[in-house]
Amino acid sequence: MKNKTVKLTVCLLTFLAPIAQASDEVKHIPGFFIGTTHFDSETEFTFGVEYEYKFTQDWGAGVVFERTNDAHHGDGTAVALASLYYHPTKSIRLGVGYGEERIGGSHPHNEDLYRISSAYDFHIGDFGIAPTIAVDFIDDEEAIVVGLAITRPF
C-alpha cells in the first residue's frame, strides 16, 4: 500500500515541479485529522495524519494516512493515499487523490480508493482549523469522511 502511494506522490511532484514558482508562498502543511467515516450503514471514529507541499499559491500535493479501527464490523481499515490540491482562495482547498484501503480481520485485503475532498481553513495564529469532507470511491461503493483537520503551516 505504501509503495503505490509513494510512487504516486513522486509522480505528482515530478509533474508539478515545472509550474512551481520560487517565492515565499511555498509551504509545508502538516496536520492531523479527527472525524467520522460513514460506510455501509455504519459511522465510525476516524483519525489520521496529512501532509501537503504547496508548489504555488494555488497548487499542492500531499499524502494522507487514516485509520478507522471499528470499520467493517470491527475488522478496521487503514487508508493511505496521495492527493493533488487546488486552492482557489487562501482558505479553500479542493482535492483529488488515489490510494488504497487496507481492511483487517480474518481475511485482510487491499482495495483501490479514489477520493475527492473539500476543506475550509480558518487561520488562528500560526495554526489552521479546517472542517473537511471527503468522498471515497471504493469499487462500486462510497464512504463519506467528515471531520476536522488541525494544521501547522510553515
Side-chain angles (χ1 to χ4, degrees):
M1 173 169 33
K2 287 190 272 185
N3 195 22
K4 278 187 180 179
T5 303
V6 169
K7 286 180 183 177
L8 184 58
T9 302
V10 169
C11 288
L12 285 172
L13 295 174
T14 303
F15 172 75
L16 292 174
I19 66 171
Q21 299 173 0
S23 73
D24 295 332
E25 296 298 323
V26 175
K27 294 184 181 180
H28 299 273
I29 308 172
F32 67 92
F33 175 85
I34 54 171
T36 62
T37 298
H38 180 78
F39 179 78
D40 196 27
S41 301
E42 295 180 5
T43 301
E44 304 294 345
F45 176 72
T46 301
F47 62 96
V49 294
E50 57 186 51
Y51 171 77
E52 178 185 358
Y53 178 79
K54 285 185 76 174
F55 293 103
T56 69
Q57 183 176 348
D58 296 336
W59 292 97
V63 292
V64 175
F65 298 97
E66 292 174 352
R67 180 86 182 136
T68 307
N69 289 332
D70 293 327
H72 289 279
H73 308 289
D75 288 341
T77 62
V79 168
L81 62 107
S83 289
L84 176 64
Y85 297 107
Y86 173 62
H87 298 262
T89 70
K90 182 179 179 182
S91 297
I92 295 174
R93 178 173 82 169
L94 306 173
V96 295
Y98 171 76
E100 287 187 338
E101 175 188 54
R102 175 146 178 83
I103 300 169
S106 58
H107 302 288
H109 63 282
N110 296 342
E111 296 184 10
D112 289 341
L113 174 142
Y114 301 90
R115 174 176 283 189
I116 58 172
S117 63
S118 177
Y120 188 89
D121 195 16
F122 294 95
H123 305 279
I124 301 171
D126 292 337
F127 292 89
I129 299 175
T132 302
I133 185 165
V135 180
D136 293 344
F137 300 93
I138 308 151
D139 291 332
D140 294 331
E141 299 180 297
E142 297 173 4
I144 309 287
V145 182
V146 178
L148 194 65
I150 310 295
T151 63
R152 174 60 171 92
F154 62 94

